[in-house]
Amino acid sequence: MVKFFDNVFSYEYPFSAVTLAYYLRYPNPYSTHVLSADTLSRDFDPVNQTLTTTRLLLKRGKLPSSVTRFLPKIKESYILEKSVVDLKKMEMRTETRNLEWEGVLSVVESQTYTPLPAPIAHGTANDDPLRNGTGLADDHTSVRTVVRFESRLGGVQKAEGIASRVASWGTGGVQRGIEAAAYQRMKENVQRSKEGLKIVLHGLREKGVIAT
Amino acid sequence: MSASLAPECSPAKEKYDNCFIKWYSDKFLKGDSTTDDCKPLFDEYRKCLQIALKEKGLDKMLDEARRNAEERELRKEQGKH
């Protein structure tokens, strides 16, 4: 797979709140292109305290231009979102990928959410079970986002065309090998997602669903 | 919460989503849960969704996605040996 984008940012909200907001992130003002989000499966493992969810998202024509130049005009695309919340590890991993044309080119966005301890100014007693007892408050959440392209090698001419193009990108200087516009678009999408989630988090705090 | 790709499933989806939000924040996140309390509501919603997916021909797309995912897992496992 060719890594296209790798970025870390953080939310000024606790891990538990961010994971809840993740499942509630649609709709938000930045997501008008997301037409629907349906839950396909949800599996709770009480022994390991993990929750595995798959969802089917329908988005209005949102494949990056570096993909659409090889594919016919696409108006809507289906995205498969898989997420695992692991309470013991205090980690949420997500993976979203396009469903159609996956045989030609797949774009996979993987994220890892973890608490980011922030030093607290004055010691305050808190009975939030997700806070550790070392004097550090897990007030922030770190997110690492990696976007990868993968093309399938096969007898299909289109796939070979893309594969050789992808191969020519190499592992270093990926930004040089692809359109700067496509990379910029990816960056903007990730930024929009982040802003959208922030708005949802703010809304949850206002409604008192999550603690201030 | 978001809309469903099948409008006829929206009522069932809404019931399930509301249950999930409550269970997730009140029980799961506190490590207080031993079961998924919302499973019955999910099954109702899922029943409706499955019909819609089939009607739209999306079940085939999802089956292929499932097969691809299994293939990837297999390749990953094989790569370890």
Side-chain angles (χ1 to χ4, degrees), chain A residues 1 22 25 54-59 63 77-83 94-103 105-111 146-152, chain B residues 61-62 64-73 75-76:
Chain A
M1 272 205 169
Y22 181 78
R25 71 191 190 283
T54 58
R55 295 203 297 183
L56 181 64
L57 313 176
L58 178 60
K59 295 189 178 182
L63 293 181
S77 57
Y78 284 99
I79 308 284
L80 187 66
E81 173 206 279
K82 182 179 173 185
S83 54
T94 74
E95 187 188 85
T96 59
R97 54 175 68 231
N98 58 299
L99 280 178
E100 298 126 316
W101 300 98
E102 200 198 354
L105 180 71
S106 83
V107 182
V108 184
E109 181 202 78
S110 306
Q111 293 189 309
V146 176
V147 180
R148 288 186 169 95
F149 275 12
E150 182 186 81
S151 75
R152 288 193 156 212
Chain B
M61 178 184 74
L62 290 171
E64 191 183 331
R66 208 181 337 261
R67 278 197 298 273
N68 290 336
E70 284 165 10
E71 241 179 75
R72 280 192 302 270
E73 277 309 305
R75 278 205 299 270
K76 231 196 273 175

Side-chain angles (χ1 to χ4, degrees), chain A residues 16 19-20 23-24 26-27 35-42 44 46 49-51 56 78 80 85 87 97 99-100 102 130 152, chain B residues 1-5 13 16 20-21 23-25 28-29 31 33-36 42 45-46 49 53 58 61-62 65 68 71-72:
Chain A
S16 53
T19 65
L20 175 64
Y23 291 114
L24 298 175
Y26 300 129
L35 304 175
S36 66
D38 283 284
T39 305
L40 296 175
S41 72
R42 194 152 254 149
F44 172 53
Q49 290 288 297
T50 63
L51 185 70
L56 181 64
Y78 284 99
L80 187 66
V85 183
L87 279 191
R97 54 175 68 231
L99 280 178
E100 298 126 316
E102 200 198 354
L130 291 177
R152 288 193 156 212
Chain B
M1 287 294 286
S2 52
S4 171
L5 60 88
K13 179 180 192 288
Y16 170 66
F20 173 71
I21 293 166
W23 174 81
Y24 188 78
S25 34
F28 175 74
L29 286 177
S33 198
T34 48
T35 56
D36 179 352
F42 179 68
Y45 159 53
R46 191 171 185 276
L49 189 64
L53 291 174
L58 296 174
M61 178 184 74
L62 290 171
N68 290 336
E71 241 179 75
R72 280 192 302 270

Side-chain angles (χ1 to χ4, degrees), chain A residues 8 10 17 39 44 51 87-88 96 98 122 138 155 161-163 170 175 183 196 199:
Chain A
V8 177
S10 61
T39 305
F44 172 53
L51 185 70
L87 279 191
K88 286 192 178 164
T96 59
N98 58 299
H122 16 261
D138 296 306
I162 293 169
Q175 283 153 284
Y183 177 80
I199 287 183

